[in-house]
Amino acid sequence: MPDGGSFIGGQSFPALVLNADFRPLSYFPLSIWSWQDAVKAVFLDRVSVLNEYEAEVHSPTVSMRLPSVIALKEYIPSARRPAFTRFNVFLRDHFACQYCGDHRPTHDLTFDHVIPRSRGGRTTWENVCTACGPCNLRKGNRLPRECNMLPRQTPRQPTSWELQENGRAFPPNYLHESWRDYLYWDSELES
Ligand SMILES: [Zn+2]
């Protein structure tokens, strides 16, 4: 396998990973692999290289340019039921408080039980929603009808496809120019 110790120079050269249909495996977090994993997958013939960095990696016998975009040769179907995690609840709700509509960074968001746990509410997709701190505090242990605070969208279990679509609205901080075609093509077609 190539030895890449010498060429890195502070850059990490991540590869964007597309499914076999040339859409990102995941939009948010964006599916990216380290160059080491990407190169390994190329050698194992599991991916096609669609674009490359200028940087090269050398072994005693081979030199190759580092892949910047790769596509899996075998299609991976997404899980039908997404994991019930705080992150996925925020993603379902577009990182917006479901009471006042404010968009906030993750660390300012909380996880609100629509029917409070103290009133028998359970921790399920159907009973939790994203709330900002002030709204969560204001709602307290009251039922929605007692405080006239109803989530803007009735909480429910999203499909993996819906989460994927929501994630498209959140481009990552690092974007190599060769990734853009694969990330924004379909949204530009729609507008
Ligand atoms: Zn709020």
PDB file of all heavy atoms in Angstrom, residues 34-47:
ATOM      1  N   SER A  34     -11.372   9.453   4.625  1.00  0.00           N
ATOM      2  CA  SER A  34      -9.982   9.885   4.619  1.00  0.00           C
ATOM      3  C   SER A  34      -9.331   9.398   3.321  1.00  0.00           C
ATOM      4  O   SER A  34      -9.815   8.430   2.708  1.00  0.00           O
ATOM      5  CB  SER A  34      -9.246   9.290   5.814  1.00  0.00           C
ATOM      6  OG  SER A  34      -9.153   7.875   5.666  1.00  0.00           O
ATOM      7  N   TRP A  35      -8.247  10.034   2.922  1.00  0.00           N
ATOM      8  CA  TRP A  35      -7.592   9.592   1.686  1.00  0.00           C
ATOM      9  C   TRP A  35      -7.105   8.157   1.825  1.00  0.00           C
ATOM     10  O   TRP A  35      -7.112   7.398   0.863  1.00  0.00           O
ATOM     11  CB  TRP A  35      -6.464  10.545   1.291  1.00  0.00           C
ATOM     12  CG  TRP A  35      -5.255  10.524   2.191  1.00  0.00           C
ATOM     13  CD1 TRP A  35      -5.007  11.369   3.231  1.00  0.00           C
ATOM     14  CD2 TRP A  35      -4.151   9.616   2.142  1.00  0.00           C
ATOM     15  NE1 TRP A  35      -3.815  11.044   3.833  1.00  0.00           N
ATOM     16  CE2 TRP A  35      -3.267   9.975   3.188  1.00  0.00           C
ATOM     17  CE3 TRP A  35      -3.812   8.551   1.320  1.00  0.00           C
ATOM     18  CZ2 TRP A  35      -2.074   9.293   3.431  1.00  0.00           C
ATOM     19  CZ3 TRP A  35      -2.618   7.870   1.561  1.00  0.00           C
ATOM     20  CH2 TRP A  35      -1.771   8.237   2.604  1.00  0.00           C
ATOM     21  N   GLN A  36      -6.728   7.765   3.049  1.00  0.00           N
ATOM     22  CA  GLN A  36      -6.246   6.396   3.256  1.00  0.00           C
ATOM     23  C   GLN A  36      -7.348   5.381   2.945  1.00  0.00           C
ATOM     24  O   GLN A  36      -7.116   4.400   2.232  1.00  0.00           O
ATOM     25  CB  GLN A  36      -5.780   6.210   4.707  1.00  0.00           C
ATOM     26  CG  GLN A  36      -4.507   6.966   5.065  1.00  0.00           C
ATOM     27  CD  GLN A  36      -4.779   8.331   5.683  1.00  0.00           C
ATOM     28  OE1 GLN A  36      -5.809   8.948   5.430  1.00  0.00           O
ATOM     29  NE2 GLN A  36      -3.849   8.815   6.482  1.00  0.00           N
ATOM     30  N   ASP A  37      -8.556   5.644   3.462  1.00  0.00           N
ATOM     31  CA  ASP A  37      -9.665   4.727   3.204  1.00  0.00           C
ATOM     32  C   ASP A  37     -10.047   4.733   1.730  1.00  0.00           C
ATOM     33  O   ASP A  37     -10.389   3.699   1.154  1.00  0.00           O
ATOM     34  CB  ASP A  37     -10.881   5.102   4.054  1.00  0.00           C
ATOM     35  CG  ASP A  37     -10.677   4.754   5.526  1.00  0.00           C
ATOM     36  OD1 ASP A  37      -9.753   3.963   5.824  1.00  0.00           O
ATOM     37  OD2 ASP A  37     -11.433   5.266   6.361  1.00  0.00           O
ATOM     38  N   ALA A  38     -10.003   5.919   1.122  1.00  0.00           N
ATOM     39  CA  ALA A  38     -10.379   6.028  -0.287  1.00  0.00           C
ATOM     40  C   ALA A  38      -9.399   5.241  -1.161  1.00  0.00           C
ATOM     41  O   ALA A  38      -9.809   4.480  -2.041  1.00  0.00           O
ATOM     42  CB  ALA A  38     -10.416   7.504  -0.709  1.00  0.00           C
ATOM     43  N   VAL A  39      -8.105   5.406  -0.898  1.00  0.00           N
ATOM     44  CA  VAL A  39      -7.088   4.713  -1.695  1.00  0.00           C
ATOM     45  C   VAL A  39      -7.216   3.194  -1.508  1.00  0.00           C
ATOM     46  O   VAL A  39      -7.153   2.427  -2.467  1.00  0.00           O
ATOM     47  CB  VAL A  39      -5.669   5.199  -1.304  1.00  0.00           C
ATOM     48  CG1 VAL A  39      -4.596   4.277  -1.856  1.00  0.00           C
ATOM     49  CG2 VAL A  39      -5.460   6.627  -1.811  1.00  0.00           C
ATOM     50  N   LYS A  40      -7.466   2.795  -0.275  1.00  0.00           N
ATOM     51  CA  LYS A  40      -7.647   1.369   0.007  1.00  0.00           C
ATOM     52  C   LYS A  40      -8.820   0.809  -0.800  1.00  0.00           C
ATOM     53  O   LYS A  40      -8.720  -0.263  -1.413  1.00  0.00           O
ATOM     54  CB  LYS A  40      -7.906   1.206   1.510  1.00  0.00           C
ATOM     55  CG  LYS A  40      -7.672  -0.182   2.037  1.00  0.00           C
ATOM     56  CD  LYS A  40      -7.637  -0.106   3.564  1.00  0.00           C
ATOM     57  CE  LYS A  40      -8.035  -1.428   4.184  1.00  0.00           C
ATOM     58  NZ  LYS A  40      -8.193  -1.314   5.643  1.00  0.00           N
ATOM     59  N   ALA A  41      -9.925   1.541  -0.827  1.00  0.00           N
ATOM     60  CA  ALA A  41     -11.110   1.083  -1.561  1.00  0.00           C
ATOM     61  C   ALA A  41     -10.838   1.012  -3.063  1.00  0.00           C
ATOM     62  O   ALA A  41     -11.359   0.133  -3.757  1.00  0.00           O
ATOM     63  CB  ALA A  41     -12.292   2.003  -1.273  1.00  0.00           C
ATOM     64  N   VAL A  42     -10.010   1.933  -3.571  1.00  0.00           N
ATOM     65  CA  VAL A  42      -9.648   1.883  -4.991  1.00  0.00           C
ATOM     66  C   VAL A  42      -8.854   0.609  -5.272  1.00  0.00           C
ATOM     67  O   VAL A  42      -9.135  -0.112  -6.235  1.00  0.00           O
ATOM     68  CB  VAL A  42      -8.800   3.124  -5.385  1.00  0.00           C
ATOM     69  CG1 VAL A  42      -8.241   2.964  -6.796  1.00  0.00           C
ATOM     70  CG2 VAL A  42      -9.643   4.391  -5.285  1.00  0.00           C
ATOM     71  N   PHE A  43      -7.904   0.311  -4.393  1.00  0.00           N
ATOM     72  CA  PHE A  43      -7.086  -0.888  -4.599  1.00  0.00           C
ATOM     73  C   PHE A  43      -7.910  -2.164  -4.476  1.00  0.00           C
ATOM     74  O   PHE A  43      -7.626  -3.161  -5.115  1.00  0.00           O
ATOM     75  CB  PHE A  43      -5.910  -0.908  -3.605  1.00  0.00           C
ATOM     76  CG  PHE A  43      -4.733  -0.141  -4.099  1.00  0.00           C
ATOM     77  CD1 PHE A  43      -4.698   1.248  -4.012  1.00  0.00           C
ATOM     78  CD2 PHE A  43      -3.661  -0.797  -4.703  1.00  0.00           C
ATOM     79  CE1 PHE A  43      -3.624   1.969  -4.500  1.00  0.00           C
ATOM     80  CE2 PHE A  43      -2.588  -0.075  -5.195  1.00  0.00           C
ATOM     81  CZ  PHE A  43      -2.573   1.311  -5.090  1.00  0.00           C
ATOM     82  N   LEU A  44      -8.948  -2.119  -3.657  1.00  0.00           N
ATOM     83  CA  LEU A  44      -9.816  -3.293  -3.502  1.00  0.00           C
ATOM     84  C   LEU A  44     -10.888  -3.354  -4.594  1.00  0.00           C
ATOM     85  O   LEU A  44     -11.734  -4.230  -4.586  1.00  0.00           O
ATOM     86  CB  LEU A  44     -10.490  -3.276  -2.123  1.00  0.00           C
ATOM     87  CG  LEU A  44      -9.540  -3.456  -0.940  1.00  0.00           C
ATOM     88  CD1 LEU A  44     -10.279  -3.215   0.385  1.00  0.00           C
ATOM     89  CD2 LEU A  44      -8.913  -4.847  -0.951  1.00  0.00           C
ATOM     90  N   ASP A  45     -10.864  -2.362  -5.496  1.00  0.00           N
ATOM     91  CA  ASP A  45     -11.799  -2.326  -6.624  1.00  0.00           C
ATOM     92  C   ASP A  45     -13.260  -2.165  -6.176  1.00  0.00           C
ATOM     93  O   ASP A  45     -14.169  -2.653  -6.826  1.00  0.00           O
ATOM     94  CB  ASP A  45     -11.641  -3.598  -7.471  1.00  0.00           C
ATOM     95  CG  ASP A  45     -12.148  -3.369  -8.889  1.00  0.00           C
ATOM     96  OD1 ASP A  45     -12.076  -2.216  -9.359  1.00  0.00           O
ATOM     97  OD2 ASP A  45     -12.635  -4.332  -9.502  1.00  0.00           O
ATOM     98  N   ARG A  46     -13.472  -1.497  -5.045  1.00  0.00           N
ATOM     99  CA  ARG A  46     -14.837  -1.309  -4.547  1.00  0.00           C
ATOM    100  C   ARG A  46     -15.445   0.006  -5.012  1.00  0.00           C
ATOM    101  O   ARG A  46     -16.636   0.225  -4.858  1.00  0.00           O
ATOM    102  CB  ARG A  46     -14.839  -1.327  -3.014  1.00  0.00           C
ATOM    103  CG  ARG A  46     -14.543  -2.705  -2.476  1.00  0.00           C
ATOM    104  CD  ARG A  46     -14.815  -2.791  -0.995  1.00  0.00           C
ATOM    105  NE  ARG A  46     -14.496  -4.131  -0.539  1.00  0.00           N
ATOM    106  CZ  ARG A  46     -13.925  -4.396   0.640  1.00  0.00           C
ATOM    107  NH1 ARG A  46     -13.651  -3.423   1.465  1.00  0.00           N
ATOM    108  NH2 ARG A  46     -13.663  -5.641   0.981  1.00  0.00           N
ATOM    109  N   VAL A  47     -14.605   0.907  -5.526  1.00  0.00           N
ATOM    110  CA  VAL A  47     -15.101   2.228  -5.923  1.00  0.00           C
ATOM    111  C   VAL A  47     -14.518   2.627  -7.278  1.00  0.00           C
ATOM    112  O   VAL A  47     -13.465   2.134  -7.680  1.00  0.00           O
ATOM    113  CB  VAL A  47     -14.717   3.316  -4.890  1.00  0.00           C
ATOM    114  CG1 VAL A  47     -15.378   3.064  -3.552  1.00  0.00           C
ATOM    115  CG2 VAL A  47     -13.209   3.403  -4.726  1.00  0.00           C
TER     116      VAL A  47
END
